[in-house]
Amino acid sequence: MKLDVVHDLQSVYRKLVDSTSRPGLISDLGKEAAILDGENAAGCSSSILLLALTLLDPEVTFKVYGSKAEAVEKEINQLTFAKAVQADQADYLFLLKDAGAGSLEHAIEIANPGTFINPHKSAVIIAETGAITVGNDLLLKGPGIQTSTGISIDLTGNWIERRSEKNKEYPTGVDLIFVDRYHQLLSLPRTTQITISREVEKEWVM
């Protein structure tokens, strides 16, 4: 079955909007990813490619982190006509699963946070990670969440601290989107507050 660039990508976009407006809601891109699997020659996961096809166009820029970054950037450019640029100039930063330790922290630090006049010009970081599930590791609060909600994400490092620092001067900041190997999607807009559970904090420190 061939990917329907209108119907299937609209479905991906709706799921992304749902997860962004309701942080903590995990959306499943498995159906769309399965359609793309046979056509994906980009060297990245089908979920990453789906998001690239959904979000990129000739008017925006992007950067890829990973061992096959150059090949993936070339493929995405051919498919979307978006231009690959340096990380600090990119509208979208894509971190592949083999991007390496510290890549997410670096991307958060260097990404364009926008300005107080034009906060919408800030970058969006899209990263592949381990499993994303409902859980108690991270507690989310903020707009779109009635009281609080918990999620678990297989991702270590001090990215939460770096994200908090980057987003401290609202409305500037960066938005994060995660996809895992099972094509589960989680969106963390800059307005979402993240608290690490004590148990997880101990594990990360150790």
Side-chain angles (χ1 to χ4, degrees), residues 21-24 140-149:
S21 60
R22 297 168 57 194
L140 310 181
K141 294 182 178 181
I145 304 171
Q146 188 168 7
T147 53
S148 65
T149 188

Side-chain angles (χ1 to χ4, degrees), residues 5 7 13 28 32 55 69 124 128 138 155 163 184:
V5 295
H7 178 270
Y13 182 73
D28 185 2
E32 295 82 3
L55 296 170
V124 177
E128 289 184 296
L138 303 179
L155 181 63
R163 172 187 178 274
Q184 302 300 295

Side-chain angles (χ1 to χ4, degrees), residues 17-53:
V17 170
D18 286 345
S19 284
T20 301
S21 60
R22 297 168 57 194
L25 172 66
I26 300 171
S27 293
D28 185 2
L29 301 182
K31 179 180 178 181
E32 295 82 3
I35 297 172
L36 189 60
D37 277 340
E39 306 175 32
N40 182 5
C44 61
S45 75
S46 293
S47 294
I48 287 287
L49 187 55
L50 279 171
L51 290 170
L53 291 170

